[in-house]
Amino acid sequence: RPPLRFDGYWVYLGDVPVIHIGEWRSYTRHSEELGIPVTKPAPGTGPLDHIAFNGVDFDEIAARLKKHGVRAGVNVVPGNGLRQLFFNDPNGLKIEINIPG
């Protein structure tokens, strides 16, 4: 991610940044300084409950989350062994990562 003047992360697909996550308070401060309108947050996550991604290596993903202090819930889907990790991003949006069994 470029050295922007607010906290956040970019999620890449290969070399392409496909999802931008900005920490709301620092993003709002930055945007207001530049005169850029900012959407006010709704209670909860509005109509969006979560977003999901596919992963490859459960142990590696779980270890990276733990290393960065992210607590993730784990679910195993009965019948197919799909393992899922659930956690919240810095803005409170639930993230799901699915890793085939």
Side-chain angles (χ1 to χ4, degrees):
R1 174 175 177 266
L4 300 170
R5 290 187 6 217
F6 57 90
D7 297 329
Y9 303 92
W10 285 6
V11 178
Y12 287 79
L13 182 60
D15 293 332
V16 179
V18 295
I19 297 175
H20 300 173
I21 302 168
E23 187 278 321
W24 195 81
R25 287 185 187 105
S26 60
Y27 174 76
T28 298
R29 238 183 346 265
H30 169 73
S31 296
E32 288 175 347
E33 288 173 4
L34 298 176
I36 299 170
V38 177
T39 303
K40 301 299 179 199
T45 57
L48 181 64
D49 179 68
H50 71 282
I51 57 175
F53 299 95
N54 289 331
V56 177
D57 185 330
F58 180 89
D59 293 333
E60 195 271 335
I61 295 169
R64 287 180 92 179
L65 291 171
K66 184 176 180 178
K67 174 183 172 186
H68 292 285
V70 177
R71 296 181 64 189
V74 177
N75 182 55
V76 178
V77 177
N80 68 6
L82 180 73
R83 292 184 287 176
Q84 300 174 302
L85 293 162
F86 292 92
F87 56 94
N88 288 338
D89 82 355
N91 294 312
L93 179 61
K94 183 170 40 176
I95 306 295
E96 170 186 334
I97 300 179
N98 296 295
I99 302 99

